[in-house]
Amino acid sequence: VSLLQAAGKNNSNLLEITEADLKEQFVRGDGPGGQATNKTNNCVVLKHIPSGIVVKCHQTRSVEKNRKIAREILQQKVDLFYKGEDSDVFKEKKALEKKKQEKKRRTKENLERKKQLKEMQELDKK
């Protein structure tokens, strides 16, 4: 479920999450960033208690932005968990995959046409 990291989408049709169902922690993030990362607890870990889904967000240096992004991601994951294939998140993911496959197919066809054209031009020269 890697495409669910697209925070900022329209969340109007997703399941609502109450704050009582969440457990929130602030921990030190990891990765590049040196002292700014190693000394500040700006990584947000959210756990949705009823489903057991855990989200860790350390996309920005701001705790408030990370809290907001983590909630959006968690809401999408919980929606997918409970609705399954009926979820808007799932449908959007499938549509993106289909679009990607179509683009890949068209690119392959274009390369094949170019290859044939080049072969025909070489035969004409001989």
Side-chain angles (χ1 to χ4, degrees):
V1 191
S2 61
L3 291 177
L4 296 179
Q5 302 274 331
K9 298 283 182 181
N10 182 7
N11 296 336
S12 60
N13 295 332
L14 300 180
L15 290 176
E16 291 297 321
I17 299 175
T18 60
E19 289 293 320
D21 290 342
L22 300 178
K23 181 181 177 188
E24 185 175 45
Q25 291 179 320
F26 302 102
V27 296
R28 289 194 179 127
D30 54 1
Q35 183 176 353
T37 299
N38 299 335
K39 286 195 171 186
T40 58
N41 291 336
N42 57 5
C43 181
V44 177
V45 178
L46 273 182
K47 180 175 183 178
H48 185 248
I49 298 169
S51 65
I53 296 173
V54 177
V55 171
K56 186 176 182 181
C57 180
H58 188 236
Q59 293 181 5
T60 68
R61 292 173 68 178
S62 167
V63 175
E64 290 303 316
K65 287 181 184 177
N66 285 336
R67 289 180 77 205
K68 182 180 178 193
I69 294 169
R71 278 171 172 69
E72 290 172 354
I73 294 170
L74 183 68
Q75 187 177 19
Q76 291 174 351
K77 287 191 176 193
V78 167
D79 186 71
L80 185 63
F81 180 78
Y82 285 115
K83 290 183 181 177
E85 292 184 10
D86 295 332
S87 172
D88 289 341
V89 175
F90 183 80
K91 291 174 185 175
E92 186 176 324
K93 179 183 173 187
K94 284 294 180 187
L96 285 173
E97 285 179 8
K98 188 175 181 180
K99 190 175 180 180
K100 186 177 178 181
Q101 287 175 351
E102 180 63 24
K103 185 176 179 181
K104 199 174 190 179
R105 184 190 61 80
R106 277 188 270 128
T107 303
K108 190 174 181 180
E109 286 177 358
N110 285 339
L111 286 173
E112 192 64 35
R113 278 193 216 115
K114 286 180 182 180
K115 185 177 177 183
Q116 289 176 353
L117 181 64
K118 189 175 182 180
E119 288 174 358
M120 289 178 67
Q121 288 175 343
E122 288 179 8
L123 287 176
D124 288 343
K125 288 181 181 178
K126 293 180 182 181

